[in-house]
Each structure stands twice: as C-alpha cells, then as structure tokens.
C-alpha cells in the first residue's frame, strides 16, 4: 500500500490564478503536482488541499495529502520537490499520515489572517502582500461589529455567487483585530469558510471602521442573507491562509514559516 504523506506548503499567491488546478496550468496546485511528479519520476501525482485559495491569496501552511507512488525519506520530499518549484512556492515540511487522513475532511478548523495598510499613499514594497485603505480606521466600531458574526450563522450575505459549498451555515469561532503602526491584522478562525467570505466580511468591517456604517449594520447584513446588502468584495492582496487545525494526535505543524505582521 502506498504511503499517504501530508505536506505543508507556503506560497505567495500574487502570480497565480489561485490554488485549484486549471487548464492554463498557472495555479499553485499545478506547480506543486508537476514538481512532485518530476521529483518522484512518475507521470503524475494528485494532491488534495485543506482549503482552496483564490487568485492573489497567499498560503503560509497550506496542507495537502497525496499517496506516494515511490519510497523517499520525508526530508527528501521537501528538498527534492522544492528543487522543481518556483521561488514563490516552497514545501515546508512532510509527514507520513494514516491512510484515513484527509487534508480537507480531517480539519477541525481553518485559520486566515488579513493584513491591511492604512496610509494616504498606496503600498509599494508591500504591493500584492497587503490590502490598502487611505481613510483612517477606528478599532472600537470594528470590534463591536465582529460580535454579530461570532457563532453559527447563515453567511449567505458574505458568499460569492460561484461558491460550491453545500451549506451557507458556518461556525465562526473568533475574529481578532490588532494594529501595529500603519498596519492592521485581522485574524479569523472557523470550522470552514465560504468562497470570498473573509474578503466580503473585510469590506463590511472597513466600511464600519471608516464610519460609513454603524457597527449594528453588520447584524443587518448577516440577517438579510443577500449578497446585495453587503459591501463590495475587498482585495485578495492581504489575505493569508494560515492553515488548518487538526487533532493534536496527528502532530502536524500548525504554522510555518513564522508570521507576525508582514511576511516581507
């Protein structure tokens, strides 16, 4: 029986059309599977990820699994695969996992962070790596607004039209907001997320933080269950998939590489 292997993959999503394989081949999954197959010297290796990311969204600890067609040491799967990957994608770790492990279905939760620059001038060095607002934001109203989203809700108002999730009901465990200088960081953790859910929530939070809407508006948007009520979808640039959360018995790394505020 082939050994099932889990990989932790980090990537800068700016140059890619998201995670999921597409005919053009310019996706993170396409790059990874091509590198794995080249290293293993086989025609193809199929991977399955913990959470698909959109075009321009980054991954710090995207977890994938595959059934290895050849035997290699775990550190060889890391170094050997990285040899054939572009510089903006890197396998961080490899671990053998039980044959029942499933990168997506075994995840108990998923974590994202959005990094935002508040500045009268657009980003330059951080271009593609941070979102941007030029109007000042107020922390208090945004924190008040997040209270209307915590818990289990129907998040249809924050769901993209092309979302393939079977249900719009998700359990949002936490939203934490912090600031360091001109940079804001928004942390999200939920059992699962809908397509564009975080970017749509960010659009609403920013409208509230800028005083364009009151904090209670978030509850109105939530209860409307209509995408037309919410703010426009915010930019993908500052969104990072921090990784899934699994049962501790699996002993899989939770976050790598180290990430505080800006991954520059």
């Amino acid at each position: 029986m082939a050994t099932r292997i889990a990989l932790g993959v980090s990537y800068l999503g700016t140059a890619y059309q998201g995670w999921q394989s597409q005919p053009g081949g310019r996706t993170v999954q396409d790059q990874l599977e091509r590198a794995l197959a080249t290293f293993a010297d086989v025609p193809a290796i199929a991977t399955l990820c913990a959470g698909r990311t959109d075009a321009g969204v980054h991954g710090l600890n995207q977890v994938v699994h595959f059934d290895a067609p050849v035997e290699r040491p775990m550190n060889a799967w890391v170094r050997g695969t990285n040899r054939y990957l572009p510089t903006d994608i890197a396998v961080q770790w490899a671990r053998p996992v039980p044959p029942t492990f499933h990168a997506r279905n075994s995840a108990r939760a998923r974590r994202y962070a959005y990094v935002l620059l508040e500045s009268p001038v657009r980003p330059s060095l951080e271009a593609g790596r941070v979102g941007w607002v030029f109007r000042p934001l107020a922390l208090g109203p945004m924190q008040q607004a997040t209270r209307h989203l915590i818990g289990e809700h129907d998040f249809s108002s924050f769901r993209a039209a092309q979302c393939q999730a079977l249900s719009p009901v998700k359990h949002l465990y936490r939203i934490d907001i912090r600031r360091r200088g001109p940079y804001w960081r928004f942390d999200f953790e939920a059992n699962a997320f809908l397509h564009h859910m975080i970017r749509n929530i960010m659009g609403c939070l920013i409208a509230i933080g800028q005083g364009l809407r009151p904090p209670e508006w978030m509850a109105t948007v939530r209860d409307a269950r209509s995408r037309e009520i919410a703010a426009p979808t915010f930019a993908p640039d500052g969104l990072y998939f921090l990784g899934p959360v699994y049962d501790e018995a699996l002993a899989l790394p939770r976050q790598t590489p180290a990430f505080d505020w800006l991954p520059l």
Side-chain angles (χ1 to χ4, degrees):
M1 181 181 293
T3 301
R4 180 156 292 190
I5 295 175
L7 301 177
V9 184
S10 63
Y11 51 89
L12 188 66
T14 307
Y16 300 100
Q17 297 172 310
W19 168 267
Q20 189 171 8
S21 181
Q22 295 185 26
R26 194 59 183 170
T27 72
V28 180
Q29 184 178 18
D30 289 319
Q31 299 290 324
L32 176 63
E33 291 184 349
R34 196 154 41 235
L36 284 168
T38 302
F39 167 64
D41 195 21
V42 296
I45 291 181
T47 64
L48 196 145
C49 73
R52 289 175 292 185
T53 51
D54 295 333
V57 176
H58 318 297
L60 267 73
N61 192 32
Q62 173 70 270
V63 176
V64 307
H65 81 255
F66 68 98
D67 294 321
V70 295
E71 292 294 328
R72 297 284 191 276
M74 289 299 118
N75 63 346
W77 283 110
V78 175
R79 296 188 178 188
T81 305
N82 283 342
R83 178 182 176 186
Y84 300 104
L85 282 170
T87 56
D88 49 7
I89 305 174
V91 176
Q92 299 292 325
W93 53 264
R95 300 283 193 278
V97 289
T100 55
F101 174 82
H102 190 284
R104 184 174 303 143
N105 296 341
S106 297
R108 298 165 53 187
R110 290 161 180 81
R111 299 173 301 124
Y112 283 84
Y114 198 101
V115 181
L116 181 69
L117 172 66
E118 179 192 313
S119 169
V121 179
R122 62 170 174 79
S124 55
L125 295 177
E126 317 98 315
R129 302 186 184 192
V130 298
W132 173 54
V133 293
F134 58 87
R135 295 190 182 95
L137 295 171
L139 174 61
M142 291 191 293
Q143 287 179 323
Q144 293 176 44
T146 64
R147 297 169 189 161
H148 299 293
L149 301 177
I150 302 304
E152 186 174 85
H153 301 287
D154 182 326
F155 285 95
S156 293
S157 292
F158 307 97
R159 180 182 193 176
Q162 62 269 41
C163 182
Q164 299 176 359
L166 297 178
S167 170
V169 177
K170 304 299 174 189
H171 194 127
L172 190 53
Y173 301 130
R174 66 182 181 93
I175 303 177
D176 296 328
I177 308 174
R178 292 178 284 165
R179 181 176 187 172
R180 178 181 293 178
Y183 298 103
W184 293 82
R185 174 170 167 173
F186 300 74
D187 280 271
F188 300 82
E189 183 171 346
N191 64 337
F193 291 90
L194 301 169
H195 192 193
H196 286 178
M197 178 173 161
I198 293 177
R199 291 170 58 191
N200 290 333
I201 290 174
M202 282 298 303
C204 293
L205 285 174
I206 288 167
I208 292 167
Q210 293 176 339
L212 303 177
R213 299 280 189 172
E216 296 76 20
W217 177 65
M218 189 68 85
T220 302
V221 173
R222 179 200 67 201
D223 294 340
R225 301 179 183 178
S226 170
R227 182 70 195 94
E228 296 178 359
I229 302 299
T233 305
F234 205 63
D237 306 46
L239 185 57
Y240 295 80
F241 181 41
L242 301 183
V245 178
Y246 297 111
D247 192 300
E248 292 184 1
L250 290 167
L252 297 179
R254 286 195 61 178
Q255 185 169 319
T256 184
F259 177 68
D260 185 12
W261 287 85
L262 282 176
L264 298 177

